[in-house]
């Protein structure tokens, strides 16, 4: 705390106050970072902002939470330096279309899946064949991941076998609660809302179920993604953002995910009740929703996953080079 002796001018007090609140941050390089509003993937970004982890790690963050239907385009046209809401399928598609973007770190494990009400008799995705299922678009990352995982694990295409109703992610919750659909595809925190509303459960928890199927590997619902040229031009900032993210998820883990009860996170996620938070915190702890494991072996697993999709021709037909990189391989070791 700063104390101003009597007789000092207001101007002097203002100078000290500005120093105390981080005027030096104005001299820090700016990094524009985005995530999807309402998605759990935006929580590390919220923690970074609230805890001042940007300035701690040497950059001034401009943090944006965007609607899911415009976030990808916002990033591709250059309105953000780093997107924390992209996935490797989307990166593959973008590179095929000529955008030189790459995933350089993981963010969210697959915190999504197929949710059914508590009284559902379905035990596996096969039991939903011929039934009514809600999703929010065949080209969404959530549906693409579930489609590919079900295809690999159970041998059928959900787009052929389910009777789909399409509405927005938030609208899927009342759709399931009303009984208009027998199951929904969704991501957190809407998964937890649906579970609370219907005493429901995961029929397929995409990350953990697929990891058991493969013997340990599962892809990510969100990654840190940037234009390759930005990473090459700003290696120190890329590492700084990565370090800030590492600290953010450590804070989350050390709190047992209780930090999700903070008002700024509740507001950012649009949580409807403390009971939803209880379910979300339990799910996050149970399924370990965030990661920073980014080894060559894991990246190789990611390419293998994409290769399987390309062979099937479900959502991509080729796997371009450069979809995933390690910063160490692209720009060298930090402080080298």
């Amino acid at each position: 705390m700063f104390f101003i002796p009597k007789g000092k001018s207001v101007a002097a007090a203002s100078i000290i106050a500005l120093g105390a609140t981080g005027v030096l941050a104005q001299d820090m390089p700016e990094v524009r970072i985005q995530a999807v509003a309402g998605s759990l993937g935006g929580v590390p970004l919220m923690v970074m902002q609230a805890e001042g982890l940007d300035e701690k790690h040497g950059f001034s963050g401009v943090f944006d939470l965007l609607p899911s239907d415009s976030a990808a385009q916002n990033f591709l046209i250059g309105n953000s330096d780093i997107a924390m809401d992209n996935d490797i399928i989307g990166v593959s598609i973008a590179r095929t279309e000529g955008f030189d973007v790459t995933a350089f770190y993981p963010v969210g494990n697959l915190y999504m899946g197929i949710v059914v009400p508590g009284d559902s008799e379905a035990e596996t995705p096969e039991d939903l064949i011929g039934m009514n299922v809600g999703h929010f678009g065949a080209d969404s990352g959530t549906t693409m991941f579930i489609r590919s995982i079900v295809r690999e694990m159970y041998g059928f295409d959900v787009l052929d076998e389910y009777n789909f109703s399409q509405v927005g992610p938030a609208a899927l919750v009342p759709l399931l609660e009303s009984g208009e659909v027998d199951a929904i595809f969704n991501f957190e925190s809407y998964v937890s809302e649906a579970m609370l509303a219907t005493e429901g459960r995961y029929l397929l928890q995409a990350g953990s179920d697929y990891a058991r199927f493969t013997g340990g590997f599962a892809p990510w619902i969100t990654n840190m993604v940037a234009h390759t040229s930005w990473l090459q031009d700003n290696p120190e900032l890329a590492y700084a953002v990565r370090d800030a993210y590492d600290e953010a998820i450590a804070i989350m883990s050390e709190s047992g995910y209780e930090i999700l009860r903070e008002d700024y996170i509740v507001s950012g996620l649009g949580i409807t009740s403390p009971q939803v938070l209880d379910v979300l915190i339990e799910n996050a702890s149970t399924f370990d929703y965030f990661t920073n494991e980014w080894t060559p072996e894991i990246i190789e697993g990611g390419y293998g996953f994409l290769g399987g999709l390309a062979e099937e021709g479900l959502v991509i037909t080729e796997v371009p080079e450069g979809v995933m990189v390690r910063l160490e391989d692209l720009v060298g070791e930090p402080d080298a």
Side-chain angles (χ1 to χ4, degrees):
M1 181 177 292
F2 290 87
F3 295 91
I4 309 301
K6 290 182 180 179
K8 294 292 183 181
S9 68
V10 173
S14 298
I15 291 171
I16 294 175
L18 284 172
T21 55
V23 68
L24 293 179
Q26 296 178 7
D27 298 325
M28 292 181 178
E30 181 180 280
V31 183
R32 299 165 297 172
I33 311 173
Q34 70 172 56
V36 168
S39 168
L40 195 67
V43 172
L45 182 150
M46 298 178 206
V47 175
M48 288 164 61
Q49 182 176 24
E51 298 290 332
L53 301 183
D54 54 340
E55 295 178 14
K56 178 178 179 180
H57 290 279
F59 66 96
S60 177
V62 178
F63 303 99
D64 292 315
L65 294 173
L66 304 172
S68 60
D69 59 356
S70 61
Q73 185 67 17
N74 186 75
F75 166 68
L76 289 177
I77 64 176
N79 289 338
S80 294
D81 299 312
I82 294 174
M84 296 179 67
D85 48 37
N86 278 224
D87 58 69
I88 58 175
I89 298 175
V91 173
S92 297
I93 294 170
R95 290 187 70 86
T96 300
E97 294 175 348
F99 294 97
D100 188 18
V101 298
T102 188
F104 68 94
Y105 214 48
V107 178
N109 290 320
L110 291 173
Y111 47 79
M112 50 85 161
I114 303 175
V115 179
V116 294
D119 61 0
S120 173
E121 296 181 359
E123 296 296 333
T124 75
E126 293 174 298
D127 297 329
L128 295 177
I129 290 175
M131 301 182 76
N132 298 320
V133 177
H135 73 152
F136 57 95
D139 59 348
S140 70
T142 295
T143 297
M144 286 193 290
F145 275 117
I146 293 174
R147 182 188 181 196
S148 61
I149 287 170
V150 169
R151 177 68 174 261
E152 186 174 349
M153 291 179 65
Y154 296 96
F156 70 92
D157 190 341
V158 295
L159 294 187
D160 294 334
E161 302 294 344
Y162 293 173
N163 298 321
F164 276 117
S165 297
Q166 182 175 331
V167 296
L172 288 169
V173 176
L175 203 67
L176 184 68
E177 185 178 14
S178 69
E180 293 183 55
V181 295
D182 303 293
I184 59 172
F185 293 5
N186 220 331
F187 59 89
E188 290 284 17
S189 60
Y190 302 119
V191 162
S192 292
E193 289 195 22
M195 287 181 176
L196 180 67
T198 66
E199 298 183 355
R201 57 185 166 85
Y202 272 122
L203 181 69
L204 175 79
Q205 205 297 313
S208 62
D209 289 350
Y210 188 66
R212 281 195 295 270
F213 176 78
T214 64
F217 172 78
W220 314 268
I221 188 172
T222 49
N223 293 75
M224 283 192 198
V225 178
H227 288 79
T228 305
S229 59
W230 187 89
L231 295 173
Q232 292 171 327
D233 291 342
N234 301 278
E236 297 88 355
L237 291 179
Y239 276 116
V241 173
R242 198 178 79 171
D243 291 344
Y245 166 78
D246 284 345
E247 186 167 353
I249 64 169
I251 290 171
M252 294 166 63
S253 178
E254 290 164 5
S255 76
Y257 287 93
E258 289 293 324
I259 195 173
L260 297 182
R261 298 190 192 278
E262 293 288 341
D263 288 343
Y264 69 90
I265 295 178
V266 172
S267 175
L269 290 178
I271 299 294
T272 58
S273 72
Q275 291 76 23
V276 171
L277 270 177
D278 292 339
V279 178
L280 178 57
I281 289 168
E282 181 178 356
N283 283 340
S285 298
T286 300
F287 298 109
D288 197 17
Y289 279 159
F290 294 96
T291 182
N292 59 0
E293 294 186 44
W294 194 242
T295 63
E297 293 76 18
I298 286 176
I299 292 173
E300 182 180 353
Y303 275 111
F305 175 79
L306 292 174
L309 293 185
E311 288 178 11
E312 293 286 347
L314 290 181
V315 292
I316 58 175
T317 57
E318 62 178 294
V319 183
E321 293 183 1
V323 173
M324 291 165 278
V325 298
R326 295 171 69 246
L327 285 178
E328 292 82 353
D329 297 329
L330 180 69
V331 300
E333 297 287 340
D335 301 322

